[in-house]
Each structure stands twice: as structure tokens, then as C-alpha cells.
Amino acid sequence: MQRDADWNDWRAFLAVARSGSTLAAARTMRVSQTTVARRIAALEEALGLPLFERRPAGYALTEAGAALVDRAQAIEQAALAAEAHGRAAGRNVHGVVRITSEEVFSASLLEPHLLDLRDRYPDIRIDIDNGSAVRDLGAGEADIALRSTKSAHGAGLVGRVIARDDWTLYCSRDYAARHGVPSSIDALRDHALIGGGGGSLALQYGHWIEQAGLGDRVLIEQGSATGLLSAIRAGLGIAVLPCLVADAMPDLVRCAPPMVDERRLLWLLTHERVRHQPAVRAVIDFLYERLLAHARGLQVRAAA
């Protein structure tokens, strides 16, 4: 199926037209020479025109290609103007945006993107609340919540689903190399478990451990999910973690299939009262794009 040309195809066209070679154009665009050549070929296919003559000394514009240079430059100017406008708009968005999230999600899903967020919106200050209490967005205790919940429907709350929030047991690759990976729940009796996790997680996880008859295998208790993650990575044993976090970490190994709960979802939430404030809108749109891409990337890896 033939695709339409996009701005990057036209960028490659102009770079080759100006330099006379795909190698020089690749250096200008900071991509590979193969990418430039592929974009030129795609543009020629989309237009149904040969734009360059491939010669030993380089690329020379055909008559059709030369006729398109002015139009391509007009596209370039429009694109550059749009980018400049976007940067200016980003600079004009300012204020404080308060985000509440469980610490394990904040550290692993939010913080890796905050530098890019600051680059795009340098006048927005982000305040992150990792407290275990659920903050009331309607009462103004926070502007945005990254929240795992079975029901996100509160008065005035609006939000978007990132993904299903499944959890399961993990260990470090170093631990697996030394002790193996348990093949069943019964096999966990031969392994060290890390308990706790803080708040409601500690209650649910602790209940599961007791139901499985593994209470005597808990050798360490941690006060937060981030503590569980740190202890696992240190090779101290096996514990439960959110799949959205742990599956992205190459040093961790799943020890069991996910504990699937179709109703528990990871939401990005805000309140009707603040949803249209420019700074809140900018941050929530940015985070949704990044977090959704993260979740979909894990799905692709799992299917491969």
C-alpha cells in the first residue's frame, strides 16, 4: 500500500538537493544514509516522479525535481514557523502543576519523562506527591493523579486509561542465576520472599502470601512498593510488582503469570475544575502520550 509523503521525506529531498549526496544529507539530518535514500525513494513513489539522477559523483536533480525545490522550501518555511510557534506557545504556558502518584509509578513511569517535559514547557513547575493517601482532586489537593483503581468515577473526575494494571512476582536475573525461577506457587517454598509494600498493597499481598501458606518464607518486609523494587533488584528475593513497571526493566524476571484483574486500570485523572487550565492541559496531554507509548511498547514486546 502506497503511503503519502510526509515532512521528513521533503526534508530529505531538500537536504540532498542542497548537498548533492545522501551521505552529506544524512550528516545534516543526523540520520543514517540508508534512511535518507529510503525517504527519497518513498517521495518519488508517492509523487510518481523521478526527482534525482543517481550518478557516481552523487545525486543530480531531474527537471521534475528542480521544479519542486521552491515548493519544498515553502513547506520547509511553514514547518519551521509552526515549530517556532509551538516553542513560543510552550514558553507562554506557565504555573505549578501538582501530580499525585504512588511512588513506584512516579519513580518508574513519570520521572523518566520529566526532563523532556521541562524542555518543552520550561515555565511549568511540577510538584509530585508520593504520599500513600488518595488525594482529593475535587478539593484541590492535586491537579493530576496517576492512579491504579477499579473505579475512577468520582464527582467531576475526568481521565484517560493508560493500560490494565496487572501485578505478578519478580526476581532479579542475578537471583534467578543463583537460585532458579520457581515453576509453581508450591515451588516458592524453596525461595526467599520479600513482603510488605505499604498501604493497601501490603494488606492484599500479605493476604495472598498467607493464603498460599508462604508466611514463613517472608525474610524481609518493605514499607513501600518502591522498597520491594529495590530489594528485588538487590537480589534479596522474590516479590510482587506492577507489570507496567517491572516488564520494562531488563534486569528483572517474571516468576509467575500476571495476576489479572480486568477491572483494575491505571488512569491519568484530573478534575473538571482545572482540566482546561493551560498548564494542566499541557502536562496531562504530554504524559498521556508518553505513558500510552510505554504501555503499547510493552505489549509489542510481549507479543514478539
Side-chain angles (χ1 to χ4, degrees), residues 212-239:
L214 297 169
D216 61 332
R217 299 309 303 154
V218 177
L219 305 184
I220 301 170
E221 287 274 345
Q222 286 285 351
S224 68
T226 307
L228 294 179
L229 174 58
S230 296
I232 293 170
R233 300 185 91 168
L236 299 179
I238 295 171

CSV table of all heavy atoms in Angstrom, one decimal, residues 212-239:
chain,number,residue,atom,x,y,z
A,212,ALA,N,-1.4,-18.7,50.4
A,212,ALA,CA,-0.6,-19.6,49.8
A,212,ALA,C,0.3,-20.4,50.7
A,212,ALA,O,1.0,-21.3,50.3
A,212,ALA,CB,0.3,-18.9,48.8
A,213,GLY,N,0.2,-20.1,52.0
A,213,GLY,CA,0.9,-20.8,53.1
A,213,GLY,C,2.4,-20.5,53.0
A,213,GLY,O,3.2,-21.4,53.3
A,214,LEU,N,2.7,-19.3,52.6
A,214,LEU,CA,4.1,-18.9,52.5
A,214,LEU,C,4.6,-17.9,53.5
A,214,LEU,O,5.7,-17.3,53.3
A,214,LEU,CB,4.3,-18.4,51.0
A,214,LEU,CG,4.1,-19.3,49.9
A,214,LEU,CD1,4.0,-18.6,48.6
A,214,LEU,CD2,5.1,-20.4,49.9
A,215,GLY,N,3.8,-17.7,54.6
A,215,GLY,CA,4.2,-16.7,55.5
A,215,GLY,C,5.6,-16.9,56.1
A,215,GLY,O,6.3,-15.9,56.4
A,216,ASP,N,6.0,-18.1,56.3
A,216,ASP,CA,7.3,-18.4,56.9
A,216,ASP,C,8.5,-18.1,55.9
A,216,ASP,O,9.6,-18.2,56.3
A,216,ASP,CB,7.4,-19.8,57.4
A,216,ASP,CG,7.2,-20.8,56.4
A,216,ASP,OD1,6.5,-20.6,55.3
A,216,ASP,OD2,7.8,-22.0,56.5
A,217,ARG,N,8.1,-17.9,54.6
A,217,ARG,CA,9.2,-17.7,53.6
A,217,ARG,C,9.5,-16.2,53.4
A,217,ARG,O,10.4,-15.8,52.6
A,217,ARG,CB,8.8,-18.3,52.2
A,217,ARG,CG,8.5,-19.8,52.2
A,217,ARG,CD,9.7,-20.5,52.9
A,217,ARG,NE,11.0,-20.2,52.2
A,217,ARG,CZ,12.2,-20.2,52.7
A,217,ARG,NH1,12.3,-20.6,54.0
A,217,ARG,NH2,13.2,-19.9,52.0
A,218,VAL,N,8.7,-15.3,54.1
A,218,VAL,CA,9.0,-13.9,54.1
A,218,VAL,C,10.2,-13.5,55.0
A,218,VAL,O,10.1,-13.6,56.2
A,218,VAL,CB,7.7,-13.1,54.5
A,218,VAL,CG1,8.1,-11.6,54.4
A,218,VAL,CG2,6.6,-13.3,53.5
A,219,LEU,N,11.3,-13.2,54.4
A,219,LEU,CA,12.5,-12.9,55.1
A,219,LEU,C,12.8,-11.5,55.3
A,219,LEU,O,13.6,-11.1,56.2
A,219,LEU,CB,13.7,-13.6,54.4
A,219,LEU,CG,13.5,-15.1,54.1
A,219,LEU,CD1,14.8,-15.6,53.5
A,219,LEU,CD2,13.2,-15.9,55.4
A,220,ILE,N,12.1,-10.6,54.5
A,220,ILE,CA,12.3,-9.2,54.6
A,220,ILE,C,10.9,-8.5,54.4
A,220,ILE,O,10.2,-8.9,53.6
A,220,ILE,CB,13.3,-8.6,53.6
A,220,ILE,CG1,14.6,-9.3,53.7
A,220,ILE,CG2,13.4,-7.1,53.7
A,220,ILE,CD1,15.6,-9.0,52.5
A,221,GLU,N,10.6,-7.4,55.2
A,221,GLU,CA,9.4,-6.6,55.0
A,221,GLU,C,9.8,-5.2,54.5
A,221,GLU,O,10.7,-4.6,55.1
A,221,GLU,CB,8.6,-6.5,56.3
A,221,GLU,CG,7.9,-7.8,56.7
A,221,GLU,CD,6.5,-7.9,56.0
A,221,GLU,OE1,6.0,-6.9,55.5
A,221,GLU,OE2,5.9,-9.0,56.0
A,222,GLN,N,9.2,-4.8,53.5
A,222,GLN,CA,9.5,-3.4,53.0
A,222,GLN,C,8.2,-2.6,53.2
A,222,GLN,O,7.1,-3.0,53.1
A,222,GLN,CB,9.8,-3.5,51.5
A,222,GLN,CG,11.2,-4.0,51.2
A,222,GLN,CD,12.3,-3.0,51.5
A,222,GLN,OE1,12.0,-1.8,51.8
A,222,GLN,NE2,13.5,-3.5,51.4
A,223,GLY,N,8.5,-1.3,53.4
A,223,GLY,CA,7.4,-0.4,53.7
A,223,GLY,C,6.7,0.3,52.5
A,223,GLY,O,5.8,1.1,52.7
A,224,SER,N,7.2,0.0,51.3
A,224,SER,CA,6.6,0.6,50.1
A,224,SER,C,6.8,-0.3,48.9
A,224,SER,O,7.7,-1.2,48.9
A,224,SER,CB,7.2,2.0,49.8
A,224,SER,OG,8.6,1.9,49.5
A,225,ALA,N,6.1,0.0,47.8
A,225,ALA,CA,6.3,-0.8,46.6
A,225,ALA,C,7.7,-0.5,46.0
A,225,ALA,O,8.3,-1.3,45.4
A,225,ALA,CB,5.2,-0.5,45.6
A,226,THR,N,8.1,0.8,46.2
A,226,THR,CA,9.5,1.1,45.7
A,226,THR,C,10.5,0.3,46.5
A,226,THR,O,11.6,-0.1,46.0
A,226,THR,CB,9.7,2.6,45.9
A,226,THR,OG1,8.7,3.4,45.2
A,226,THR,CG2,11.0,3.1,45.3
A,227,GLY,N,10.3,0.1,47.8
A,227,GLY,CA,11.2,-0.7,48.6
A,227,GLY,C,11.2,-2.2,48.1
A,227,GLY,O,12.3,-2.8,48.1
A,228,LEU,N,10.0,-2.7,47.7
A,228,LEU,CA,10.0,-4.0,47.1
A,228,LEU,C,10.9,-4.1,45.8
A,228,LEU,O,11.7,-5.0,45.7
A,228,LEU,CB,8.6,-4.4,46.7
A,228,LEU,CG,7.6,-4.6,47.8
A,228,LEU,CD1,6.2,-5.0,47.2
A,228,LEU,CD2,8.0,-5.7,48.8
A,229,LEU,N,10.8,-3.0,45.0
A,229,LEU,CA,11.5,-3.0,43.8
A,229,LEU,C,13.0,-3.0,44.1
A,229,LEU,O,13.8,-3.7,43.5
A,229,LEU,CB,11.1,-1.8,42.9
A,229,LEU,CG,12.0,-1.5,41.7
A,229,LEU,CD1,12.0,-2.6,40.7
A,229,LEU,CD2,11.5,-0.2,41.0
A,230,SER,N,13.4,-2.1,45.0
A,230,SER,CA,14.9,-2.0,45.4
A,230,SER,C,15.4,-3.3,45.9
A,230,SER,O,16.5,-3.8,45.6
A,230,SER,CB,15.1,-0.9,46.4
A,230,SER,OG,14.7,0.3,45.9
A,231,ALA,N,14.6,-4.0,46.8
A,231,ALA,CA,15.0,-5.3,47.3
A,231,ALA,C,15.2,-6.4,46.3
A,231,ALA,O,16.1,-7.2,46.3
A,231,ALA,CB,14.1,-5.7,48.4
A,232,ILE,N,14.2,-6.4,45.3
A,232,ILE,CA,14.3,-7.4,44.3
A,232,ILE,C,15.6,-7.1,43.4
A,232,ILE,O,16.3,-8.1,43.1
A,232,ILE,CB,13.0,-7.3,43.3
A,232,ILE,CG1,11.8,-7.7,44.1
A,232,ILE,CG2,13.2,-8.2,42.1
A,232,ILE,CD1,10.5,-7.4,43.4
A,233,ARG,N,15.8,-5.9,43.1
A,233,ARG,CA,17.0,-5.6,42.2
A,233,ARG,C,18.3,-5.9,43.0
A,233,ARG,O,19.3,-6.1,42.3
A,233,ARG,CB,16.9,-4.1,41.8
A,233,ARG,CG,15.7,-3.8,41.0
A,233,ARG,CD,15.6,-2.4,40.4
A,233,ARG,NE,16.3,-2.4,39.1
A,233,ARG,CZ,16.2,-1.3,38.3
A,233,ARG,NH1,15.5,-0.2,38.6
A,233,ARG,NH2,16.8,-1.4,37.1
A,234,ALA,N,18.2,-5.8,44.3
A,234,ALA,CA,19.4,-6.2,45.1
A,234,ALA,C,19.7,-7.7,45.2
A,234,ALA,O,20.6,-8.1,45.7
A,234,ALA,CB,19.3,-5.5,46.4
A,235,GLY,N,18.7,-8.5,44.6
A,235,GLY,CA,18.9,-9.9,44.7
A,235,GLY,C,18.5,-10.6,46.0
A,235,GLY,O,18.9,-11.7,46.2
A,236,LEU,N,17.6,-9.9,46.8
A,236,LEU,CA,17.3,-10.4,48.1
A,236,LEU,C,16.2,-11.4,48.1
A,236,LEU,O,16.0,-12.1,49.1
A,236,LEU,CB,16.9,-9.2,49.0
A,236,LEU,CG,18.0,-8.2,49.3
A,236,LEU,CD1,17.5,-7.1,50.1
A,236,LEU,CD2,19.2,-8.8,49.8
A,237,GLY,N,15.4,-11.5,47.0
A,237,GLY,CA,14.4,-12.5,46.9
A,237,GLY,C,13.3,-12.1,45.9
A,237,GLY,O,13.6,-11.3,44.9
A,238,ILE,N,12.1,-12.7,46.1
A,238,ILE,CA,11.0,-12.5,45.1
A,238,ILE,C,9.9,-11.7,45.8
A,238,ILE,O,9.6,-11.9,46.9
A,238,ILE,CB,10.5,-13.9,44.7
A,238,ILE,CG1,11.6,-14.7,44.0
A,238,ILE,CG2,9.2,-13.9,43.9
A,238,ILE,CD1,11.2,-16.2,43.8
A,239,ALA,N,9.3,-10.8,45.0
A,239,ALA,CA,8.2,-10.0,45.5
A,239,ALA,C,7.3,-9.6,44.3
A,239,ALA,O,7.6,-9.8,43.1
A,239,ALA,CB,8.7,-8.8,46.2
